[in-house]
């Protein structure tokens, strides 16, 4: 989808579909909806007057009504999209409503569309708190961009219904506002593209996206974006003594891939590199298929385990955006990719393996393989000089039991890193809920015969046991762990997205990285 930004009167913009946003300004829970359009264009307001006056359109989030041949407008159709209650309006509703507009247009054969920039100053302050222009425009582009893909590339009777072009039509205004909108537009394009790239990886079936193929795609992305990338396999795992990662990999005919992507910020002229500058490590779980191994999963729903590399995809997607946004902080992406298979060469319950850090791990369940590969990934990132770590993984079913599919789990050993991440989620609109990983829980992973074991002693607090295990390898380095098991795959159709890979965490990780930009 080609995205453009123009500054002109939206009523005079020639397009087959013009989108305008509406809010409900009625106060009070039981009050009848009172609809207001977020535009200062009298022509648009007049064209929509009759439908707005009827009580057919309630302005709910993602609700839509279309007018053909709207009077006084150059557009062939006017699509009014609801943002919900004005009082509680946030950037996230704008992102979703923009997505809903795109998903309305696609099946109707629309190829070119335009969106009237939501002018929140069209309403008085008592109705609406003003939202920053940069974030508004960015959310529009992100929402539209991530709503566009339909995951149907493997259908042989696929009909191409892509939207070819989308133009944001913003009013001409002060130079500073224009510049803010322009910035949001550029950032939104970068982030939507990165998130879609991550989703396209997660969408691939396990027979196509093997660890080797994941390595190839990451390397191709890095080459295109000017990032350094190394892809290693079994020999390097042995050399680095990555006993935990190697244990998982050895059950599969597919060799593992250790992918290292590096973003180095350009030094400004005359500046010397700062000695104590942070180096951020982005570590992703890249299990391209998780059968459970010898502790085999049941058949029901096992096909979903192709998305067990969504943490890796999030990190590769984040690196994609970082390469374009160019923050002034060094970032290293470390992906630990393998296939978890049962076979004559597979690791077994009861095995004891030595991780790269030297810690010994008793394997109680081969299905707890994510923490095994991440153990070595986190430690390796530290040896590469990372001062701050973040990992993302579809790590535990227990996290889905605890939080459902709305919030992903978040764990951290460091209040500053956590606070910065929380700030980042306010921009990204993604939902994470913090769960504890204090040392009170340490006994849960104490082993009889080794340093630690790879599952909790009891079945309670499984997501915490997994986080406690990872914490053993982050040690004192500030670290954030994102358990995205419940959020990496959209199980439900929403007006703003189809079923399929969500690309969760890309936006938050990128924003978190930017908080360290000097
Ligand atoms: N990949 C799974 C976790 C998962 C479950 C992701 C559901 C997405 C949806 C992980 O490797 C796993 O199997 N974890 C086990 C751990 C257990 C054996 C301690 C689990 O959650 O059951
Ligand atoms: Zn597993
Ligand atoms: Zn897994």
């Amino acid at each position: 989808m080609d995205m453009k930004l123009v500054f002109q009167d939206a009523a005079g913009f020639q397009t087959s579909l013009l989108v305008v946003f509406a809010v409900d300004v009625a106060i009070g829970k039981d009050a009848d909806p009172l609809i207001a359009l977020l535009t200062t264009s009298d022509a648009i307001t007049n064209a929509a007057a009759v439908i707005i006056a009827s009580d057919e359109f309630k302005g709910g989030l993602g609700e839509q009504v279309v007018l053909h041949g709207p009077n006084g407008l150059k557009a062939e159709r006017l699509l009014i999209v609801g943002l919900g209650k004005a009082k509680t309006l946030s950037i996230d509703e704008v992102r979703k409503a923009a997505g809903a507009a795109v998903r309305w247009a696609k099946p109707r054969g629309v190829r070119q569309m335009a969106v009237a920039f939501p002018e929140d100053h069209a309403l008085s302050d008592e109705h609406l708190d003003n939202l920053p222009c940069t974030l508004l425009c960015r959310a529009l582009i992100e929402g539209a961009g991530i709503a566009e893909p339909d995951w149907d590339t493997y259908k042989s009777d696929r009909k191409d219904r892509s939207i070819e072009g989308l133009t944001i039509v913003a009013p001409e205004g002060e130079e500073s506002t224009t510049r803010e909108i322009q910035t949001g537009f550029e950032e939104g394009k970068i982030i939507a593209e990165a998130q879609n790239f991550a989703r396209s990886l997660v969408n691939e079936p396990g027979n196509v996206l093997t660890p080797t193929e994941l390595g190839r795609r990451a390397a191709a992305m890095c080459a295109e974006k000017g990032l350094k990338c190394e892809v290693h396999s079994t020999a390097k795992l042995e050399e680095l003594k990555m006993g935990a990662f190697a244990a998982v990999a050895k059950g599969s005919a597919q060799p593992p891939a250790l992918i290292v992507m590096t973003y180095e910020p350009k030094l400004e002229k005359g500046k010397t590199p700062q000695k104590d500058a942070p180096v951020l490590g982005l570590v992703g779980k890249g299990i391209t298929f998780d059968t459970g191994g010898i502790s085999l999963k049941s058949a029901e729903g096992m096909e979903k385990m192709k998305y067990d590399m969504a943490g890796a995809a999030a990190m590769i997607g984040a690196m994609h955006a970082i390469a374009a946004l160019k923050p002034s902080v060094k970032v290293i992406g470390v992906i630990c990719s393998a296939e978890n298979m049962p076979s004559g060469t597979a690791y077994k319950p009861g095995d004891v393996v030595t991780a790269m850090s030297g810690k010994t791990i008793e394997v109680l369940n081969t299905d707890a393989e994510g923490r095994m590969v991440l153990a070595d990934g986190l430690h390796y990132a530290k040896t590469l000089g990372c001062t701050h770590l973040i990992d993302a993984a579809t790590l535990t079913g227990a996290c889905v039991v605890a939080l459902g599919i709305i919030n992903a789990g978040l764990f951290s050993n460091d209040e500053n890193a956590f606070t910065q991440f929380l700030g980042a989620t306010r921009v990204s609109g993604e939902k994470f809920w913090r769960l504890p990983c204090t040392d009170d829980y340490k006994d849960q992973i104490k082993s009889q015969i080794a340093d630690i074991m790879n599952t909790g002693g009891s079945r309670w607090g499984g997501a915490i046991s997994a986080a406690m295990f990872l914490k053993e390898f982050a040690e004192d380095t500030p670290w954030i762990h994102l358990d995205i098991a419940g959020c990496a795959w959209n199980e439900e159709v929403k007006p703003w997205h189809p079923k399929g890979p969500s690309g969760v965490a890309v936006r938050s990780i990128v924003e978190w990285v930017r908080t360290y930009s000097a």
Side-chain angles (χ1 to χ4, degrees):
M1 183 165 58
D2 184 32
M3 306 215 234
K4 285 203 189 77
L5 171 66
V6 298
F7 292 91
Q8 70 162 81
D9 171 28
F13 192 79
Q14 175 94 50
T15 174
S16 61
L17 183 73
L18 177 67
V19 178
V20 67
F21 296 103
V23 286
D24 174 9
V25 294
I27 314 262
K29 222 171 85 210
D30 301 319
D32 286 338
L34 199 59
I35 306 299
L37 295 180
L38 293 187
T39 179
T40 51
S41 158
D42 289 340
I44 296 179
T45 309
N46 291 339
V50 176
I51 186 78
I52 297 296
S54 78
D55 52 8
E56 214 172 276
F57 177 74
K58 315 274 188 221
L61 177 60
E63 192 184 333
Q64 289 142 326
V65 66
V66 69
L67 304 176
H68 288 255
N71 250 340
L73 306 188
K74 278 249 173 84
E76 289 164 31
R77 280 168 287 189
L78 179 68
L79 181 70
I80 307 172
V81 184
L83 288 168
K85 289 265 186 205
K87 257 289 155 221
T88 51
L89 182 65
S90 76
I91 292 294
D92 203 41
E93 279 81 44
V94 175
R95 189 181 289 108
K96 286 174 173 156
V102 166
R103 295 211 63 76
W104 183 92
K106 278 197 81 174
R108 290 168 175 86
V110 173
R111 295 287 177 167
Q112 298 285 340
M113 60 189 288
V115 178
F117 188 81
E119 295 177 78
D120 49 7
H121 58 271
L123 301 184
S124 64
D125 292 351
E126 60 175 301
H127 289 309
L128 195 67
D129 295 329
N130 272 10
L131 299 166
C133 282
T134 308
L135 290 184
L136 260 179
C137 193
R138 179 171 149 180
L140 275 183
I141 293 294
E142 286 174 0
I146 60 181
E148 215 284 329
D150 274 293
W151 306 103
D152 57 0
T153 43
Y154 284 103
K155 284 194 183 285
S156 48
D157 62 349
R158 173 177 187 268
K159 292 188 185 59
D160 184 12
R161 294 198 182 279
S162 37
I163 305 279
E164 285 166 5
L166 180 138
T167 308
I168 306 287
V169 188
E172 290 164 297
E174 283 175 32
E175 205 187 307
S176 58
T177 314
T178 308
R179 225 178 305 121
E180 280 175 33
I181 294 176
Q182 187 80 43
T183 304
F185 174 76
E186 299 300 341
E187 289 183 1
K189 276 203 298 187
I190 289 168
I191 289 164
E193 197 189 323
Q195 189 173 341
N196 283 343
F197 179 60
R199 293 163 85 200
S200 71
L201 294 173
V202 178
N203 185 55
E204 292 290 20
N207 62 325
V208 174
L209 198 91
T210 58
T212 309
E213 180 59 19
L214 185 64
R216 256 188 235 125
R217 297 206 190 178
M221 179 281 284
C222 288
E224 193 194 313
K225 296 277 162 191
L227 297 174
K228 200 175 125 201
C229 182
E230 289 174 10
V231 184
H232 305 288
S233 194
T234 314
K236 185 76 173 181
L237 267 55
E238 277 167 17
E239 183 197 317
L240 293 171
K241 298 195 166 56
M242 289 183 157
F245 184 3
V248 174
K250 73 189 181 125
S252 172
Q254 292 293 338
L258 169 65
I259 308 165
V260 185
M261 303 164 282
T262 309
Y263 165 76
E264 195 94 51
K266 277 219 172 71
L267 264 186
E268 276 176 49
K269 259 198 189 137
K271 272 201 173 174
T272 44
Q274 236 185 300
K275 258 214 184 116
D276 48 1
V279 179
L280 309 180
L282 277 46
V283 183
K285 169 179 174 182
I287 300 298
T288 57
F289 196 77
D290 181 12
T291 64
I294 297 295
S295 315
L296 195 63
K297 287 182 182 294
S298 61
E300 201 194 323
M302 199 203 275
E303 73 285 350
K304 283 193 194 139
M305 283 302 123
K306 69 167 191 169
Y307 83 76
D308 214 18
M309 38 57 72
M315 295 316 185
I316 298 170
M319 293 304 291
H320 186 291
I322 288 161
L325 291 167
K326 304 195 191 317
S328 59
V329 58
K330 182 170 174 177
V331 188
I332 305 176
V334 175
I335 306 299
C336 301
S337 184
E339 196 180 54
N340 189 22
M341 296 290 275
S343 77
T345 58
Y347 79 138
K348 306 172 296 294
D351 285 0
V352 175
V353 300
T354 307
M356 187 186 175
S357 75
K359 285 205 167 122
T360 56
I361 304 166
E362 183 189 7
V363 178
L364 288 203
N365 191 316
T366 62
D367 197 8
E369 83 298 340
R371 65 198 78 179
M372 301 287 287
V373 303
L374 288 175
D376 284 339
L378 289 165
H379 183 80
Y380 183 50
K382 287 197 292 183
T383 67
L384 294 177
C386 294
T387 59
H388 296 71
L389 298 168
I390 188 163
D391 75 69
T394 44
L395 204 61
T396 66
C399 193
V400 194
V401 173
L403 297 175
I405 59 171
I406 306 294
N407 276 275
L410 186 165
F411 301 81
S412 183
N413 63 357
D414 185 83
E415 295 314 300
N416 285 337
F418 165 70
T419 308
Q420 292 194 204
F421 191 83
L422 201 65
T425 63
R426 304 240 159 81
V427 177
S428 72
E430 296 180 318
K431 291 188 193 303
F432 292 89
W433 201 264
R434 191 177 186 181
L435 294 167
C437 60
T438 50
D439 285 342
D440 313 295
Y441 292 94
K442 220 171 161 174
D443 285 352
Q444 281 189 207
I445 55 164
K446 216 164 155 187
S447 160
Q448 285 290 317
I449 67 158
D451 296 337
I452 48 174
M453 55 187 181
N454 83 332
T455 65
S458 81
R459 63 195 187 90
W460 308 121
I464 300 173
S465 301
M468 291 307 293
F469 183 95
L470 298 181
K471 195 176 144 192
E472 290 290 319
F473 299 91
E475 293 184 300
D476 294 335
T477 305
W479 155 78
I480 290 173
H481 158 53
L482 306 175
D483 191 335
I484 58 171
C487 302
W489 194 266
N490 290 323
E491 301 281 357
E492 292 166 4
V493 177
K494 293 274 182 201
W496 42 88
H497 66 61
K499 281 189 190 183
S502 67
V504 71
V506 172
R507 296 203 304 266
S508 302
I509 293 162
V510 170
E511 218 45 48
W512 178 75
V513 165
R514 294 175 90 198
T515 65
Y516 289 89
S517 186

